[in-house]
Amino acid sequence: MSLTDNSRQSAQTKNSLCLAVSACLLGQKVRYDGAHKQHAFVCALQLKGVDLMPICPEVEIGLGVPRPAIHIVERSKQLMALGVDDQSLDVTQKLNHYGRAMAKQLDGIDGYIFKARSPSCGVGSSPQKRADGRTKKGSGLFAAQIMQTLPLLPVVEETGLEDRTRQINFIQQVEAHRFWREFIALQPGVKQLREFHQNSYLNLMAHGVEGLRDINHWLDALPQNGKLNKTQRQVYAKLYMCQVKRLATHRRHEIVLRHLCVRLRSYLDKTQRQVLANMLNDYSARQLSIKKAIDELRLIARGSSLAWLAQQTYLQINLSLEMEK
Ligand code: SF4
């Protein structure tokens, strides 16, 4: 059983999030010069119970440590991974092939943290020497294969995780991807997609009402029942993942809480309504964190018979909430 199989199985067993990560970011000495690029946030994720699957594509295709440095060069309209000092060293096919093979094995993960500027792992930041002599930025060959095969997978470079806001935003995408992956594994029809959307409603609203409206309009045009075809599934998944990429700001969470105060008014008793109103006031005044607010919503959901509220994925997210101050 491969490392990938082991990590995925353990993630499924423990019900924890599972991310792939460039191995050098986890402190493994796999860089061409024998060094590592340990990243504090990436390592901290492990301590929070996230399963991390370290992958070094250059080691996996048989280049040793240390090894000759490679870079990306355009030849005959094709991007190639060639040796910097020895241009006869060509690992283009090996990197592309390994990327395609790994993408097939990574269907149980919910995100990938790549090392920036690497000719193998970069996501839009890797220098590429073009035929006209200019140097442009693009993606590493391995990362490009992963993104092409798994277009919904949340990906980020470690340079995109330098502040708390962007860290939380990435983890929110990872959590949303997991909800989608678990749902789609059930081979749902249109009716089940509508239920999934209803259960995701507050979470999607927290990323902006405009994007949520667009998804609602698209769903309105679908038949009520029947099979969910491949195109419909892909369109919804793209809209859903694009929506959760938008920042869930304080203002947007406030809109969600305000929406709940109105929507739940007739279903709650007087005490519960007061708890909800106080929560909204405290959150608006920044005297209550969103984590505490959602903890209170969970209590309201438990103390009422509101299945709609209890099933909201907004109440099931954990890690991104823990990261909120
Ligand atoms: S950037 Fe990618 S290829 Fe380079 S050492 Fe790190 S994991 Fe290996």
Side-chain angles (χ1 to χ4, degrees):
M1 184 181 280
S2 69
L3 172 68
T4 311
D5 292 334
N6 271 329
S7 300
R8 208 165 57 194
Q9 201 171 62
S10 107
Q12 284 162 354
T13 308
K14 288 195 295 181
N15 214 22
S16 57
L17 293 175
C18 182
L19 303 179
V21 55
S22 294
C24 54
L25 295 175
L26 254 190
Q28 294 189 5
K29 294 180 176 176
V30 288
R31 279 172 59 86
Y32 72 97
D33 57 0
H36 63 75
K37 283 283 178 182
Q38 191 172 67
H39 190 270
F41 174 72
V42 174
C43 295
L45 284 176
Q46 221 167 15
L47 299 176
K48 289 181 184 296
V50 177
D51 265 296
L52 297 180
M53 189 189 306
I55 299 169
C56 177
E58 292 181 21
V59 167
E60 293 296 331
I61 63 168
L63 295 171
V65 181
R67 57 182 172 271
I70 59 171
H71 62 165
I72 302 177
V73 181
E74 186 181 12
R75 291 263 197 283
S76 311
K77 296 188 177 170
Q78 198 206 336
L79 294 174
M80 305 186 73
L82 306 177
V84 173
D85 297 325
D86 175 9
Q87 299 264 314
S88 69
L89 173 65
D90 179 356
V91 291
T92 311
Q93 282 210 8
K94 282 186 175 177
L95 273 178
N96 284 336
H97 182 265
Y98 181 66
R100 283 193 293 272
M102 274 312 290
K104 285 187 190 145
Q105 288 194 49
L106 294 178
D107 60 354
I109 65 162
D110 290 306
Y112 205 133
I113 304 175
F114 285 106
K115 172 75 189 75
R117 293 183 291 276
S118 153
S120 303
C121 293
V123 178
S125 63
S126 308
Q128 300 179 340
K129 277 194 145 186
R130 295 309 179 107
D132 60 9
R134 287 185 299 164
T135 300
K136 283 190 172 176
K137 284 182 183 170
S139 293
L141 297 195
F142 170 76
Q145 293 296 339
I146 299 288
M147 291 187 290
Q148 196 177 320
T149 312
L150 302 170
L152 297 177
L153 188 72
V155 299
V156 69
E157 295 180 323
E158 87 287 4
T159 49
L161 295 169
E162 295 307 332
D163 61 71
R164 183 53 46 141
T165 303
R166 289 192 286 175
Q167 291 167 0
I168 291 171
N169 182 246
F170 176 65
I171 297 299
Q172 285 169 342
Q173 291 174 49
V174 168
E175 290 171 323
H177 184 274
R178 181 187 174 167
F179 293 134
W180 173 255
R181 181 174 56 74
E182 289 175 349
F183 166 70
I184 213 66
L186 303 172
Q187 301 186 324
V190 173
K191 184 167 175 272
Q192 289 76 26
L193 180 71
R194 289 185 186 285
E195 286 165 6
F196 175 83
H197 183 68
Q198 279 308 311
N199 293 341
S200 307
Y201 203 79
L202 298 180
N203 199 22
L204 292 170
M205 186 183 277
H207 292 270
V209 286
E210 305 82 5
L212 174 59
R213 261 184 228 126
D214 291 345
I215 307 178
N216 289 342
H217 284 151
W218 181 82
L219 273 172
D220 285 346
L222 274 190
Q224 286 301 315
N225 285 304
K227 279 191 174 175
L228 186 66
N229 67 38
K230 190 177 170 192
T231 307
Q232 291 164 337
R233 195 177 69 220
Q234 286 174 337
V235 171
Y236 182 87
K238 198 172 169 191
L239 289 168
Y240 171 84
M241 288 309 298
C242 282
Q243 173 69 355
V244 295
K245 271 188 188 173
R246 299 184 167 113
L247 274 183
T249 59
H250 183 276
R251 174 80 187 123
R252 286 173 170 169
H253 280 301
E254 194 178 340
I255 288 171
V256 173
L257 300 182
R258 206 171 289 284
H259 169 83
L260 280 174
C261 282
V262 175
R263 182 161 181 169
L264 301 183
R265 191 179 293 149
S266 55
Y267 299 99
L268 301 178
D269 62 31
K270 196 176 167 195
T271 312
Q272 288 170 324
R273 283 202 300 272
Q274 194 56 52
V275 169
L276 204 52
N278 292 346
M279 182 181 75
L280 174 60
N281 286 340
D282 290 349
Y283 183 74
S284 300
R286 296 184 186 264
Q287 287 168 354
L288 189 74
S289 68
I290 190 61
K291 180 180 182 326
K292 290 252 169 67
I294 290 181
D295 281 346
E296 289 192 23
L297 281 177
R298 287 170 179 153
L299 286 176
I300 291 174
R302 254 178 249 144
S304 67
S305 53
L306 286 168
W308 173 82
L309 182 61
Q311 284 164 3
Q312 289 296 308
T313 56
Y314 193 58
L315 273 57
Q316 291 162 27
I317 50 177
N318 282 309
L319 182 55
S320 57
L321 283 182
E322 269 176 38
M323 293 163 65
E324 300 268 0
K325 281 183 183 162

